[in-house]
Amino acid sequence: MDAIVAFFNGLSSLGVSVVMPIVLTIIGCCFGAGFGKSLKAGLTVGIGFIGLNLVINQLMGTDLASAVTAMVNRFGLELSVIDVGWPAASAIAMGSVVGTIIIPLALLVNVVMLLTNTTQTADVDIWNYWHFAFTGALVAIVTNNVGLGIFAAIINEVVVLIIGDVTAPLVEESLGLPGVSIPHGFSGAYVPIAFAVNWLLDKIPGIKNINWDVRSMQKKFGVFGDPVMLGSIIGLVIGILAGYGLLPVTNSDGTTTQSVLYIAVAMGAVMVLIPRMAALLMEGLLPISDAASAFIQKHFSNRGKIYIGLDSAVGTGHPVTLTMALILVPVAVFLAFILPGNKVVPLADLACIPYMLVLITPIVHENGFRGLLVGIVVLAVGFYIATDLSPLITSAAANVNFDMGGAAAISSICDGANPLTWLIVRFGTIGTYIGLVVLAVGDVALALWNRKRILREAAELHEESAEAAAQK
């Protein structure tokens, strides 16, 4: 077991841009795509992830976060919990005892669910198993029981896989990703809220008829509706609110404060570069997806459609998602200031807002108005969750000797603001085992419901295939 854990920990430490080419090459060969074609597809995906990470980490995670920090300082927002960002959260998760075993364990659970028809998703995005480990690490702290932490991580995984199944048809239609699902522990956690808010909006007269079609608006406003111009205008507003000048300034500590014009250009670049990197990801995934679909239809006709589970990064390039994300960055800072009881200042994870919205976009059928309303709701809920979980996250960081940079309390938008993580953690505090047992029973019921849905879908596909063959 130690050797297995060490192998998967070593594989995970290579990072998503290296792990995904290896995993996709193996999967492509297993599905009969051929070594050369599979290798090229895997490398294309890896290159896409490198490009995407460069854009998001530098332009949003560094430049935009610096502007927001300046904005917070300028307006004197006194918030005591520091958003340390997802890299810190993942390091805390994978440094825990639960993190050491999560990759082989989660793979085993996924295989069992595939074999029992309780999921359609083959989740190859093993790097993002850290989301499950994060939940497990917090439960291990709150229960003082590592075994319950591991149990909680599995509960989290099962729910996320089923969410990936249910949203996969919407992902195919809206995001243009055939044969792909997004079983992402962060993005998927907001799906129930998105469905609930979207359902509620359908019941409100007048409101239900409002539809902001971002693509149509871009055409209507001409050059000012172009993604480049839209991103630059939003960047200009953020730079002005941050108090940036027309020229960069060298500070006394040797750091440089960028100009307002640079922030404007940088946000315009975000609107252009992220869709292009996402397109590169899709280009690499298509041969693997096609081979997987052909293989499943040939050998497992009774299992319905099988989806390749991928990082939600593949959906961040959608114009509605990107537009909403840039608008919601200043909104997030405003909410952090006005929400009574919130203690979290959003900083490092502002770059994660596009990931938060990836599955919301297809659920609201690309309606920008509804997407923004859902985004505001999930941000507000997220701030309260991040505030509530901050003591546990701070304890988890101390347990793995994570350097908190002098901060007394830390949290994150990803995954500290995760409603699914919060639900599992708080149920873990009910009795010794009672809360988690209740969740486990719910997991089983959800899996059985999903199995029934999958078998019904498989029967329908089989009938369609038989009718098509008969017509020929």
Side-chain angles (χ1 to χ4, degrees):
M1 177 58 72
D2 289 342
I4 293 173
V5 170
F7 170 78
F8 282 107
N9 283 343
L11 186 64
S12 178
S13 68
L14 293 173
V16 65
S17 58
V18 175
V19 171
M20 290 309 295
I22 295 172
V23 172
L24 289 176
T25 300
I26 294 171
I27 289 175
C29 290
C30 291
F31 285 142
F35 177 75
K37 192 174 182 180
S38 301
L39 179 61
K40 181 181 177 182
L43 288 173
T44 301
V45 170
I47 293 167
F49 271 113
I50 288 176
L52 198 60
N53 287 333
L54 285 173
V55 175
I56 290 177
N57 292 341
Q58 178 60 44
L59 297 182
M60 295 191 73
T62 300
D63 298 332
L64 181 59
S66 297
V68 170
T69 301
M71 191 190 313
V72 169
N73 293 334
R74 186 184 184 202
F75 290 100
L77 306 183
E78 296 182 2
L79 301 169
S80 59
V81 179
I82 303 301
D83 167 22
V84 293
W86 74 262
S90 65
I92 292 168
M94 297 309 283
S96 67
V97 176
V98 180
T100 61
I101 197 173
I102 192 62
I103 292 179
L105 181 62
L107 279 171
L108 178 62
V109 170
N110 192 188
V111 169
V112 170
M113 289 184 69
L114 285 168
L115 292 175
T116 56
N117 273 336
T118 49
T119 188
Q120 296 167 279
T121 294
D123 189 1
V124 302
D125 184 24
I126 63 173
W127 162 249
N128 277 307
Y129 289 1
W130 75 261
H131 295 282
F132 312 140
F134 187 82
T135 300
L138 297 189
V139 170
I141 290 173
V142 82
T143 62
N144 196 29
N145 188 315
V146 173
L148 290 179
I150 294 171
F151 188 51
I154 295 172
I155 290 173
N156 194 347
E157 179 189 9
V158 172
V159 174
V160 169
L161 286 172
I162 294 172
I163 287 173
D165 292 344
V166 172
T167 56
L170 295 172
V171 167
E172 287 189 314
E173 178 186 354
S174 181
L175 304 183
L177 295 171
V180 169
S181 69
I182 300 179
H184 194 271
F186 176 58
S187 305
Y190 298 98
V191 165
I193 297 175
F195 274 124
V197 174
N198 194 54
W199 176 85
L200 181 63
L201 292 174
D202 277 333
K203 307 299 179 183
I204 304 176
I207 296 292
K208 67 180 181 181
N209 298 322
I210 300 175
N211 184 3
W212 292 352
D213 186 333
V214 172
R215 291 188 177 92
S216 297
M217 290 172 67
Q218 288 172 355
K219 294 178 182 178
K220 182 178 180 179
F221 289 104
V223 66
F224 290 99
D226 186 274
V228 176
M229 291 297 295
L230 183 60
S232 297
I233 291 170
I234 294 172
L236 187 66
V237 171
I238 292 172
I240 292 171
L241 291 174
Y244 285 4
L246 291 176
L247 297 175
V249 177
T250 301
N251 303 312
S252 57
D253 60 359
T255 60
T256 300
T257 298
Q258 294 290 354
S259 70
V260 65
L261 298 178
Y262 172 80
I263 296 299
V265 174
M267 293 307 100
V270 166
M271 295 293 283
V272 173
L273 295 176
I274 288 183
R276 294 190 180 179
M277 292 304 102
L280 195 60
L281 287 172
M282 287 184 274
E283 178 187 332
L285 289 171
L286 193 58
I288 305 298
S289 176
D290 289 344
S293 296
F295 182 87
I296 295 301
Q297 288 177 2
K298 182 178 180 180
H299 298 283
F300 299 97
S301 58
N302 65 321
R303 293 187 182 275
K305 191 168 186 176
I306 297 294
Y307 298 101
I308 304 298
L310 295 174
D311 191 323
S312 58
V314 298
T316 54
H318 195 285
V320 175
T321 300
L322 273 181
T323 302
M324 290 191 302
L326 288 184
I327 293 173
L328 286 171
V329 166
V331 170
V333 178
F334 178 70
L335 285 173
F337 177 62
I338 67 168
L339 288 174
N342 172 58
K343 297 180 181 179
V344 178
V345 53
L347 292 172
D349 266 347
L350 287 171
C352 285
I353 290 180
Y355 296 90
M356 181 183 282
L357 301 171
V358 163
L359 290 175
I360 293 175
T361 295
I363 289 171
V364 299
H365 301 289
E366 305 176 43
N367 183 331
F369 173 75
R370 291 194 176 198
L372 283 174
L373 290 182
V374 175
I376 291 170
V377 171
V378 298
L379 280 171
V381 170
F383 279 129
Y384 284 120
I385 289 172
T387 298
D388 183 58
L389 292 181
S390 63
L392 290 177
I393 296 171
T394 304
S395 296
N399 287 348
V400 297
N401 298 316
F402 179 79
D403 182 5
M404 293 185 286
I410 63 172
S411 192
S412 70
I413 304 303
C414 172
D415 265 5
N418 188 317
L420 181 55
T421 294
W422 179 84
L423 180 69
I424 296 172
V425 169
R426 289 308 170 203
F427 261 78
T429 63
I430 301 174
T432 306
Y433 301 101
I434 296 174
L436 291 177
V437 169
V438 169
L439 288 181
V441 171
D443 252 15
V444 171
L446 195 60
L448 292 175
W449 169 84
N450 200 39
R451 172 184 164 83
K452 184 177 180 180
R453 182 190 62 81
I454 291 169
L455 293 177
R456 183 173 64 249
E457 179 187 292
E460 291 172 355
L461 287 173
H462 184 70
E463 288 179 10
E464 290 176 4
S465 299
E467 288 177 5
Q471 290 176 358
K472 289 181 179 180

